[in-house]
Amino acid sequence: MPLISDLFQRLPSVKDVHMSSAGLALWICWEGDLDTAVPQTLQDYGGLSVVSDRDQSLWFFFSADVFLALARLAVWAQFNSLPVSIQVIPGRLLLSVRREMSLNIDSGLTRQEILVPQSLQIWVHPKAREAAGLQPGISYSKGTQLKGMAVQEWEHLEADARLPYTSAQGWYALMRPLGNPLDKRFQAGWRFMSSKIEEIQQRLKLKYILHDNFIMLPLENLRLLRTWMRDVLTFIGEAKSQPDYWPCVCVVVDRKGLNFNNELPQKVGINWNNLMPDFPYMSYRNAFLLGEGFQITDLHFSSTHSSMDSWCTVALGEGGPLTDGAIPVLVAGQLVFGDGGGCFYCGARNHDAGSCPTRTMRLSGAELWKDFSDMSIEGINEAFRGIEKQLAETGVPGYAKILEETSPEGRLMRMIFEINLPLQTRIIERVWLTTSREFPSSAHDWANGKDVASRDDSPAWGFLERLCKLHPAELPPFEKDLRASIQRNPRDHRLRALLGFCCVELGDLPKAQTAWKEAESLAGSSLCQAWYLLLQGRILEIQGRFSEASEIYQNVLRLYPQWQEAEYRQVVCRVKMGFAEQIQPRILHMIEQDPTIFNRFLIDPELERGHLLILTALHPHWLDSKRLAEEEKAQVERLLTEVDNWFSQDHPTAHNLRRRLLELSGQTAMDNYLAYLNVVRTRPLIEKDLTTQIQAEIEDLKARFKNYLGILETIRDEAAWFPFPKVLVEFNRDFNECAGIINWAFGSNFHEAEAFKRAQAYVPTIVDLLTKLEKRLRFLRVVRDSTLFVLILARTFFWVEVVGIVLCIIGVPSIAIFGDQFGLGWLKAILRENHWELQKVLVIILSVMSLGIAALRTTLVFEKRRDALVANAKAQREEMQRARLERIREAVRMREEEKAAKRKAGLLMPPSFGETETETTDDEG
């Protein structure tokens, strides 16, 4: 038994209702397979399928045509078996911002269940009966309610089989080409397009009116509307590739209240100069009636015009020639609603130049367009919704509140005002003072420009300060004072430039253009002349004279070919003329020159007429950059792994690289073109930096270990001659550990991550070991040098003492025997009387002299003897190493000769192709 609550559980929960419409809902229940005549009939009369299950569904109708559809089904059921139960109940269709569809009905009706009858039964709710009115051939009668139905005064619908029950709905389609009818390309293109459209009309047997380059035709029923829309959209998609293609705008309106005559274009109430070509315009109500196979596109986000009668555009659904996809950005409706050409300073239509918020803004010193890369598409849309809500509630004063905030709404609003920066009063001072020959490319460059002169004594500076603070009511006296100053200073172009801005804010655009033309002729620098030309072009653009404005912008480009602002304004003029698709190659070229301009085309409200076409054209490049960024994401993850493999967590270089890679990884998830582009451009640079840093670290490690080896060899040489080996146990242990690390380092390949990282980890250890060894070496050096000194001293003392004693033994008796002969009799007498005492004194004197001589000699020869001993120890060690290497080489040579002899004798098989015997040689080596 079908439960209506099961269907409502499958409906999405729409909390933020963007659009809603009252109408009539159908709860349809059936048994087995539903006859295809039921959904087909409901669709032909404008029914929307909201949700469906295996044995029940919910439909919605905007009008009372639902009763005509039910009458046709009632007649069909009289001749065919149709086990279906249908309830007609009042309801409201709800649509979210993302166009999720839901349905709202009386809560008492959501708890019904029903047993499907054997034949068609149509039950009409009392309130739905009131909406039906009187319709010929349709009657209502009381009947027995089915079990499970809500307790209401239900009526049973009955229909007279003799009536056709034709729907009263119908539409008019109007098409108009863009451009000047006197243009030869217009005439050739429109001739081609109108002939193809006429073929479609003849095939569908439609009558039409051709008047003032308008094609008008009636569409009598929904099926005909669907067929005509599909054929026209298919033709437009195919015609774009042909040279005779010409853009046309198309509008579909309800025929109620309108007559099919030549005055129809003026009666539909639409501004034809703001329509976008190639995408038919119609109300949301009619767009939803088209059903499947069509794609509905919002023109902008709106909180005040969110009704089913608002305008939208329609394209073919998936697989159609016009549905290549578009970047999903919706501009706030408050920024594009309004009459006239828009504000001179910012382009918004809800205020004039005198009340524009840019008049009180200052130049930003930040790189706004580059910083804009951290805002995703969803973030941009959310910010536009916030702007729309704020401006809808507070009007123009809401701008100030938005700009004061640091929220995404405030950032986005500042970016929108940044688009037309060269046209605003906050740039005047910088233009007059700059001495550069080129225009700065951004507000950051304007604010931080170095080529800036100082102010002179011109009265224009005082008037400039007054202009930026003026209330609109104070403009007339300001203009009077300014004209008086111009009479006193007729050659000052700056005063006339300020007069132009004053006239703009007063709404007198022709006078503003005249003032700027005079300022151009008086200006002394080509930069000021180009700027005054740009302002004149903007005046024509605001007045809708796009061709003339475009010519002036072209003159500016002749003076300054690299000035992006003039080229951008020229593109905007072409888009406002309706030729957004024809200007797409130029847009793509501008983005190639400066990627930051991509975001301008996303958020500029003045591009409303061609915004969808531009977003569609940019979509492939968006997808390409996104795909490349996703590919780079894998490379970023690889680089993060490499950083972790090569460096420890606390390594300063690794910390910096890891931070940059993590930032880049975050940008890969940021839905922003500049972020994608930055990832694609920056990742190879980071990888290059990583490779360079690794190579530098490898060279540094090699130099370090080479230095450590030199230090260790010095320690070894110093400790080579030490007389007390048992004292060196702890010293030898640290020495061997350090030597082992260094030997491993010289035998490792630092171009491998594992060896490199292990070597980095060994550096603190080896530094600590070398520090300990050097500290112990100082003690060992003292012990060694002291021992050597004492030994040399003792040896010298011994031999001097021995020689002295021998001389004494020989000398004293000789004096005693032969003293008289040499006149030493006195000494002989002394020796005879005090022989032993004198002998003792001589021994003492001899010992002291020996010790002194030994000490002096030891001091003189100590360093030489010490260095000789150390060098001898080093030479012996090197000799031992050479002998060991020689023995190894001799053993290897003998083994090679033995193997060669065996191979020659056939005892060994020769090595196969690619095999070598270097492994054994290396092992033995």
Side-chain angles (χ1 to χ4, degrees):
M1 183 178 294
L3 297 172
I4 192 173
S5 59
D6 293 341
L7 294 175
F8 278 93
Q9 289 177 358
R10 300 181 60 181
L11 290 175
S13 177
V14 180
K15 297 180 180 179
D16 184 12
V17 179
H18 182 53
M19 283 186 289
S20 65
S21 176
L24 298 171
L26 297 185
W27 179 32
I28 305 175
C29 303
W30 62 87
E31 187 178 283
D33 295 332
L34 181 63
D35 195 323
T36 56
V38 176
Q40 186 62 54
T41 302
L42 296 179
Q43 289 177 0
D44 290 343
Y45 282 81
L48 297 179
S49 178
V50 180
V51 63
S52 180
D53 202 353
R54 61 182 182 278
D55 57 357
Q56 58 178 336
S57 62
L58 282 173
W59 288 67
F60 181 82
F61 281 79
F62 292 103
S63 66
D65 282 355
V66 59
F67 295 100
L68 300 177
L70 294 177
R72 291 289 296 269
L73 289 177
V75 174
W76 172 268
Q78 293 178 12
F79 306 100
N80 299 274
S81 174
L82 200 60
V84 176
S85 171
I86 301 177
Q87 281 190 7
V88 186
I89 51 182
R92 177 171 289 274
L93 186 68
L94 307 177
L95 283 97
S96 68
V97 174
R98 296 179 177 83
R99 216 176 292 119
E100 298 170 326
M101 190 179 299
S102 186
L103 194 63
N104 184 22
I105 64 174
D106 184 19
S107 59
L109 302 175
T110 59
R111 295 187 292 270
Q112 297 186 89
E113 59 180 352
I114 197 170
L115 183 63
V116 179
Q118 296 300 315
S119 61
L120 176 65
Q121 292 188 9
I122 303 174
W123 301 94
V124 182
H125 192 275
K127 293 183 179 180
R129 171 70 178 83
E130 295 175 3
L134 296 176
Q135 294 176 320
I138 300 178
S139 60
Y140 304 91
S141 60
K142 301 290 183 180
T144 304
Q145 298 182 9
L146 299 178
K147 182 180 179 182
M149 291 175 59
V151 180
Q152 297 285 343
E153 295 183 1
W154 297 96
E155 293 184 280
H156 189 68
L157 184 144
E158 297 176 354
D160 189 345
R162 295 171 294 178
L163 295 181
Y165 303 107
T166 304
S167 173
Q169 62 184 357
W171 300 267
Y172 293 130
L174 298 87
M175 297 189 70
R176 177 195 180 192
L178 299 177
N180 185 0
L182 301 179
D183 188 355
K184 292 183 179 180
R185 292 181 302 169
F186 172 94
Q187 296 171 2
W190 180 230
R191 189 182 303 111
F192 166 74
M193 297 293 289
S194 60
S195 62
K196 295 298 181 180
I197 294 173
E198 185 177 358
E199 293 178 5
I200 297 175
Q201 295 166 351
Q202 292 176 353
R203 185 171 67 252
L204 299 179
K205 299 180 181 180
L206 298 174
K207 59 181 180 179
Y208 65 94
I209 296 176
L210 181 60
H211 174 73
D212 193 20
N213 291 322
F214 276 96
I215 293 180
M216 298 166 278
L217 59 149
L219 302 170
E220 303 295 339
N221 54 65
L222 185 58
R223 182 171 295 183
L224 188 59
L225 172 64
R226 290 195 188 104
T227 303
W228 184 82
M229 288 286 293
R230 186 175 290 105
D231 290 351
V232 167
L233 288 171
T234 302
F235 155 66
I236 292 175
E238 295 172 350
K240 283 187 175 184
S241 60
Q242 301 187 22
D244 293 331
Y245 163 77
W246 191 257
C248 303
V249 295
C250 178
V251 174
V252 177
V253 297
D254 293 307
R255 70 180 180 183
K256 292 181 180 180
L258 297 174
N259 296 321
F260 189 59
N261 53 36
N262 293 341
E263 299 180 356
L264 185 59
Q266 290 75 37
K267 298 293 184 179
V268 297
I270 193 170
N271 187 351
W272 290 94
N273 293 326
N274 290 334
L275 298 185
M276 179 172 48
D278 301 334
F279 291 87
Y281 284 72
M282 59 174 52
S283 67
Y284 280 100
R285 187 190 308 273
N286 292 328
F288 281 118
L289 293 180
L290 293 176
E292 298 180 357
F294 294 90
Q295 178 180 336
I296 302 172
T297 305
D298 302 321
L299 298 178
H300 42 66
F301 182 80
S302 172
S303 62
T304 57
H305 294 71
S306 53
S307 70
M308 287 293 178
D309 294 324
S310 298
W311 291 102
C312 66
T313 61
V314 176
L316 289 178
E318 296 296 331
L322 291 178
T323 56
D324 295 333
I327 302 174
V329 173
L330 291 179
V331 178
Q334 288 292 327
L335 299 177
V336 297
F337 290 154
D339 300 326
C343 172
F344 176 87
Y345 295 131
C346 69
R349 298 180 182 176
N350 60 351
H351 64 266
D352 55 17
S355 56
C356 184
T358 62
R359 296 177 72 253
T360 57
M361 292 177 64
R362 295 184 178 181
L363 286 175
S364 173
E367 295 277 8
L368 293 181
W369 287 112
K370 292 182 180 179
D371 296 341
F372 196 54
S373 62
D374 63 348
M375 186 175 287
S376 65
I377 292 299
E378 183 59 30
I380 293 175
N381 284 329
E382 289 294 334
F384 269 129
R385 293 187 188 103
I387 292 172
E388 171 71 16
K389 183 178 180 181
Q390 181 69 33
L391 295 181
E393 293 175 354
T394 59
V396 178
Y399 282 112
K401 184 176 181 181
I402 294 172
L403 292 172
E404 289 174 358
E405 300 174 352
T406 58
S407 61
E409 290 82 1
R411 289 185 59 197
L412 182 59
M413 199 72 253
R414 283 189 286 274
M415 297 308 304
I416 293 174
F417 287 150
E418 194 83 6
I419 294 174
N420 293 339
L421 179 66
L423 307 171
Q424 298 167 6
T425 55
R426 53 179 169 155
I427 208 68
I428 298 176
E429 179 182 4
R430 288 290 174 171
V431 175
W432 287 347
L433 294 179
T434 184
T435 59
S436 174
R437 295 185 178 181
E438 295 294 335
F439 278 94
S441 59
S442 66
H444 173 269
D445 297 334
W446 280 109
N448 301 305
K450 297 180 180 179
D451 301 327
V452 178
S454 57
R455 289 188 178 188
D456 55 13
D457 57 353
S458 171
W461 300 112
F463 283 106
L464 175 59
E465 293 177 359
R466 285 180 59 188
L467 177 65
C468 296
K469 300 177 181 178
L470 279 180
H471 189 272
E474 300 173 337
L475 286 170
F478 174 80
E479 181 187 12
K480 183 178 179 181
D481 296 341
L482 188 57
R483 289 186 181 277
S485 182
I486 291 174
Q487 292 180 354
R488 293 190 297 271
N489 303 273
R491 304 298 299 174
D492 194 338
H493 66 92
R494 292 168 291 189
L495 293 173
R496 297 181 186 274
L498 291 177
L499 179 61
F501 283 102
C502 179
C503 293
V504 164
E505 296 186 11
L506 286 170
D508 196 343
L509 300 183
K511 287 185 179 180
Q513 188 171 13
T514 301
W516 283 328
K517 193 169 185 179
E518 294 174 353
E520 176 197 350
S521 62
L522 296 174
S525 68
S526 59
L527 187 142
C528 285
Q529 290 176 348
W531 182 55
Y532 293 142
L533 269 176
L534 185 77
L535 296 175
Q536 295 175 53
R538 177 62 170 177
I539 288 290
L540 296 174
E541 181 185 341
I542 292 297
Q543 292 175 326
R545 299 158 64 182
F546 303 121
S547 297
E548 299 174 52
S550 184
E551 291 178 3
I552 291 184
Y553 294 144
Q554 186 61 40
N555 292 335
V556 177
L557 287 173
R558 290 191 185 100
L559 292 174
Y560 286 91
Q562 303 301 322
W563 195 20
Q564 190 182 74
E565 302 299 334
E567 186 176 9
Y568 182 79
R569 295 252 56 87
Q570 199 173 33
V571 169
V572 172
C573 285
R574 296 288 292 173
V575 172
K576 288 182 176 180
M577 293 170 66
F579 295 95
E581 188 162 9
Q582 286 70 25
I583 206 69
Q584 286 175 8
R586 191 169 180 181
I587 292 175
L588 299 177
H589 176 72
M590 291 178 66
I591 293 173
E592 289 178 1
Q593 298 296 319
D594 182 9
T596 60
I597 205 171
F598 186 95
N599 286 330
R600 290 196 191 189
F601 290 108
L602 291 188
I603 66 176
D604 191 353
E606 293 194 73
L607 298 174
E608 178 200 10
R609 189 174 192 185
H611 201 217
L612 180 58
L613 289 170
I614 293 174
L615 296 179
T616 303
L618 297 181
H619 191 249
H621 299 272
W622 173 277
L623 292 180
D624 289 342
S625 63
K626 184 176 182 179
R627 175 182 55 79
L628 291 175
E630 290 175 350
E631 293 176 358
E632 293 295 334
K633 185 177 182 180
Q635 299 298 323
V636 171
E637 297 296 332
R638 175 182 62 81
L639 291 180
L640 280 171
T641 304
E642 285 192 14
V643 170
D644 292 336
N645 290 339
W646 283 88
F647 298 99
S648 60
Q649 293 292 327
D650 56 349
H651 195 282
T653 300
H655 177 73
N656 182 43
L657 289 171
R658 195 177 290 108
R659 176 185 57 79
R660 292 171 61 189
L661 288 170
L662 289 175
E663 290 177 358
L664 211 61
S665 179
Q667 289 183 0
T668 58
M670 186 63 63
D671 206 11
N672 189 290
Y673 178 79
L674 290 182
Y676 293 152
L677 209 61
N678 184 59
V679 171
V680 175
R681 292 181 174 181
T682 307
R683 197 277 308 166
L685 299 179
I686 297 179
E687 184 170 10
K688 183 179 179 180
D689 291 345
L690 175 59
T691 304
T692 303
Q693 186 61 38
I694 290 175
Q695 186 61 37
E697 291 282 343
I698 289 174
E699 297 299 327
D700 180 66
L701 276 177
K702 288 181 177 178
R704 282 189 179 190
F705 278 100
K706 188 175 182 180
N707 182 47
Y708 297 153
L709 178 61
I711 296 172
L712 192 64
E713 287 179 342
T714 302
I715 294 173
R716 178 198 62 191
D717 295 339
E718 290 286 336
W721 187 86
F722 189 74
F724 310 110
K726 293 185 179 180
V727 181
L728 298 177
V729 175
E730 189 174 351
F731 180 88
N732 288 336
R733 184 190 64 214
D734 293 342
F735 181 90
N736 292 334
E737 182 179 356
C738 190
I741 294 174
I742 293 177
N743 288 334
W744 170 86
F746 278 96
S748 300
N749 183 8
F750 285 173
H751 289 86
E752 295 178 357
E754 184 179 356
F756 175 83
K757 192 172 183 181
R758 186 178 176 186
Q760 284 187 319
Y762 275 144
V763 168
T765 303
I766 198 170
V767 169
D768 183 58
L769 289 173
L770 289 174
T771 303
K772 291 180 179 180
L773 288 173
E774 287 179 336
K775 287 182 179 179
R776 290 173 182 160
L777 181 63
R778 284 194 289 270
F779 170 75
L780 295 178
R781 189 181 291 118
V782 171
V783 175
R784 182 200 65 187
D785 292 351
S786 300
T787 303
L788 179 61
F789 190 89
V790 169
L791 290 175
I792 296 174
L793 179 68
R795 182 179 179 181
T796 304
F797 174 79
F798 173 78
W799 287 110
V800 173
E801 184 76 11
V802 169
V803 171
I805 291 173
V806 170
L807 290 176
C808 287
I809 293 173
I810 297 173
V812 171
S814 296
I815 293 173
I817 297 172
F818 303 105
D820 294 335
Q821 296 178 9
F822 296 100
L824 297 175
W826 61 272
L827 183 59
K828 179 179 178 183
I830 295 173
L831 290 173
R832 188 180 299 118
E833 295 175 359
N834 301 294
H835 174 76
W836 294 112
E837 287 80 2
L838 183 61
Q839 193 74 19
K840 292 178 182 179
V841 171
L842 287 175
V843 171
I844 293 174
I845 293 174
L846 184 61
S847 298
V848 172
M849 290 179 61
S850 299
L851 183 62
I853 294 171
L856 179 62
R857 181 180 179 277
T858 303
T859 303
L860 294 175
V861 304
F862 172 75
E863 291 187 0
K864 184 177 180 181
R865 294 289 300 278
R866 182 195 61 188
D867 294 342
L869 289 173
V870 172
N872 185 41
K874 183 177 181 181
Q876 291 179 359
R877 183 173 57 255
E878 291 176 352
E879 183 64 27
M880 292 174 62
Q881 290 178 349
R882 283 195 296 270
R884 180 173 177 272
L885 289 175
E886 189 63 31
R887 288 196 301 271
I888 292 173
R889 290 171 184 166
E890 183 64 21
V892 171
R893 186 183 62 78
M894 292 179 63
R895 181 173 294 184
E896 291 295 329
E897 291 178 354
E898 182 181 354
K899 288 183 178 180
K902 291 182 179 180
R903 190 178 295 114
K904 187 174 182 180
L907 299 177
L908 290 177
M909 294 296 293
S912 60
F913 180 76
E915 291 183 356
T916 64
E917 300 178 12
T918 58
E919 183 178 356
T920 304
T921 303
D922 292 342
D923 289 343
E924 294 185 0

